[in-house]
Amino acid sequence: MIAGLRKPTEGTVRILGLDPFTDRAQVRQLLGVQLQQAYLHGSLTARELVNLYRSFYPHPLEAEQALEMVELSEKANTRFDDLSGGQMQRLSIALALIGRPQVVILDELTTGLDPKARRRIWATIESLAEQTVILVSHAMDEVERLCDRVALIDAGRIIAQGTPAQLRQQAGVETLVDAFVGLTGREWDHDEEDD
Amino acid sequence: MSTIVEARRPGAYAWLKLIEAEAKMVIRDTAGLIVPLGMPLLILVMQGISIEDAGQEVAEGVTVLSAYVVPIIVTMVISMTAVINMPSFLATYRKTKLLRRLAVTPASPAMVLIAQMVVSLVQILLGVAVALTAAFLFFEANLPQAPWAALATLGVCCAAMYGVGMIVASIAPTPNSSVAIGLVAFFGMAALGGMFGGTQNLPETLEQIGSWLPFGAAVEAFQSAWLGESVDLQNWLVPIGWALLGGGVAAALFRWE
């Protein structure tokens, strides 16, 4: 909904004070999005894809800078189809950041990646200083490490929000997973999908 | 308070990069080029070899091959590219959520559709050029007696076949089904449009149906252009009608994701 892909059934959505639907063109310039599941032109190389997405924005990052930021400079000439899962995710992050957005949405950033790949992506996110990052994740260790503020969503509703420490304190537990269990009253299920 | 930013659509450079990207996708999918470029050429050679009087003139300066085979080959190139190849790319992009990914950038998924059409048009022109060159070099084919009518027919035939291609892309749920539906549509239209023999050999009902399909109409229009005759009004209206129908169906049914 924030990205303007799905209309809300009730209520309003504003991003930087703009409506994602009526102010679509403006929002697209200010927002960078990495979708949970999205493929790119498979036969194009990482550099070609970065250059393609650069062309959509008025003041994009340099291609080399974007690739370097996600440690893909050495894979610049590798086709998207030939990248590993972690490399594809890092390229997706580079494309989300290529237009110098003010707000970045990263959806299930490290799902299915090995621990090493997850840490590299975490480091990339931690290095972002200029953007507001909205991280959508079921991985509570990831949330705990990367997020300043957390909104716990259960069955489509925000049931609690605050800093990770505040949520732990509110639930009287030591981890965010336990906080989720305590605040929702049900067991943690890693496989559940919740848009 | 809202952020003030000028609403800016991607410009000419973005269009060029997207067309370049689509072109690279098509070129690097080498197998996908064989059908629209190779198969019409193969059929041209087979027909050129098997028709004994291919070089005989049916009108002044127009050989049998030019009047009856070349129009079918040109229509084949157009329809195979627009009805089989283009929809399969769009169905793949939809399946893999590539169009959804573009929808969250300043570029519109519609830009991909148009870029894919531009690249398909280049493929068509290339395929037609290859087929005509082979026909001129090896089978003594002639240029159309009415070149402007031939060019206009090329234009309306492309529009009609894109229309059919968009119908295929709109109703096909997966890339594989897109190829299957595209093949059935192509062979259905082609069989009723004279690809496997003169339409006069078909039962009357099928012959009538074929004349209202874009393949048959385009072949007849090309034949008229090659013979220097005026193109029958129905052969203009049928492809234009299919182009409009395809556009309407696509507007109603085409899903970006």
Side-chain angles (χ1 to χ4, degrees), chain A residues 3 33 42-43 60 73 85 95 127 135 159 164 178 193 195:
Chain A
V33 182
S43 299
S73 297
L95 298 184
S127 71
L135 180 71
I159 55 167
D178 290 335
E193 289 292 326
D195 288 334

Side-chain angles (χ1 to χ4, degrees), chain B residues 9 20 26 39 54-55 65 75 117 126 140 146 149 151 155 182 206 216 237 240 242 248 253:
Chain B
R9 289 276 175 203
E20 181 189 336
V26 169
M39 196 167 154
L65 187 115
T75 310
M117 283 182 167
L126 188 65
E140 297 171 9
L151 274 177
L206 293 181
L237 295 179
I240 290 169
W242 277 94
L253 298 180

Side-chain angles (χ1 to χ4, degrees), chain B residues 91-106:
Chain B
T92 303
Y93 290 170
R94 181 170 54 210
K95 168 94 175 172
T96 57
K97 298 186 189 293
L98 186 146
L99 299 175
R100 183 181 169 91
R101 177 67 187 84
L102 278 173
V104 293
T105 71

Side-chain angles (χ1 to χ4, degrees), chain B residues 60-85:
Chain B
E60 192 178 341
V62 186
T63 63
V64 169
L65 187 115
S66 306
Y68 299 109
V69 177
V70 170
I72 290 174
I73 300 301
V74 172
T75 310
M76 273 182 75
V77 173
I78 299 168
S79 49
M80 288 182 126
T81 308
V83 177
I84 303 171
N85 270 30

Side-chain angles (χ1 to χ4, degrees), chain B residues 9 23-24 28 38 44 48 59 61 63 65 86 88 102 121 124 179 201 229 239-241 243 246:
Chain B
R9 289 276 175 203
K24 282 177 177 169
R28 290 171 186 176
L44 172 76
T63 63
L65 187 115
M86 187 193 72
S88 77
L102 278 173
L121 186 63
I124 287 169
V179 174
N201 299 327
E229 299 168 355
I240 290 169

Side-chain angles (χ1 to χ4, degrees), chain A residues 17 19 81 84-85 88 93 111 146 158 164 166:
Chain A
D19 184 319
D81 277 340
S84 69
M88 285 179 178
I93 296 169
T111 302
L146 297 178
I158 294 175
Q166 284 171 337

